[in-house]
Amino acid sequence: MLKGIPSILSPDLMKILLEMGHGDEIVFADGNFPSASCAQRLVRCDGHKIPVLLHAVMKLFPLDTYVEKPLALMKVVPGDSIKPVIWDEYRTIIQEYNGPLNDFEILDRFAFYERAKKAYAIVATSEKALYANIILKKGVLTDFD
């Protein structure tokens, strides 16, 4: 155990977050996402929901300020009547740690899959909300206190 590190962050996830550099992306995938078949590096966070993980990660993770939208979500497939209310929860969490948010980039389902395949890592969760997948682009730290 370490001081100040949220206990929900496993050693494997901490290692991934530390290895990532500026511009690298990480996917937090819901329980329906094909994580294992898309991932270059797979981190299992079974039993955990994405908002709880986001709270822990955003305490440590700088978002890329050199791009207009450092966060991406999967667009609802046309004809699907789902309204992903979890997106509002994500917005609240991210603004808590990073201030005002430009908004999310919304990607078509298959474009999201392709981008996820290029991500540094995918975190597989037990999130049950539909369209809960989110991509975070890592930024830089200017203060190494």
Side-chain angles (χ1 to χ4, degrees):
M1 298 295 291
L2 296 172
K3 292 180 180 181
I5 304 294
S7 61
I8 194 170
L9 299 180
S10 69
D12 290 338
L13 182 50
M14 283 298 299
K15 179 181 183 292
I16 291 293
L17 295 173
L18 287 164
E19 286 175 344
M20 292 175 66
H22 179 230
D24 282 339
E25 294 184 327
I26 188 167
V27 179
F28 286 85
D30 64 34
N32 289 305
F33 191 80
S35 297
S37 63
C38 287
Q40 295 184 48
R41 294 167 194 85
L42 180 64
V43 179
R44 304 284 329 178
C45 285
D46 300 296
H48 297 297
K49 306 254 176 152
I50 295 174
V52 179
L53 286 163
L54 271 183
H55 265 293
V57 167
M58 295 313 298
K59 291 178 182 181
L60 308 170
F61 192 90
L63 290 175
D64 194 338
T65 57
Y66 296 110
V67 296
E68 186 178 340
K69 296 180 180 177
L71 304 156
L73 300 168
M74 183 187 291
K75 181 179 181 179
V76 175
V77 174
D80 203 340
S81 62
I82 302 297
K83 182 181 182 330
V85 295
I86 199 166
W87 294 1
D88 292 331
E89 192 172 355
Y90 291 171
R91 179 176 282 104
T92 299
I93 294 165
I94 290 159
Q95 287 179 340
E96 179 180 340
Y97 297 100
N98 287 277
L101 176 63
N102 262 350
D103 209 356
F104 299 103
E105 181 176 0
I106 308 296
L107 301 171
D108 167 81
R109 176 180 167 207
F110 294 106
F112 192 99
Y113 288 159
E114 288 307 310
R115 188 145 155 201
K117 288 176 184 177
K118 296 174 187 172
Y120 189 82
I122 296 177
V123 179
T125 74
S126 294
E127 180 59 59
K128 293 178 184 176
L130 300 177
Y131 296 99
N133 309 300
I134 183 168
I135 299 173
L136 286 67
K137 185 180 287 283
K138 190 172 185 184
V140 297
L141 288 177
T142 56
D143 183 2
F144 289 96
D145 288 339

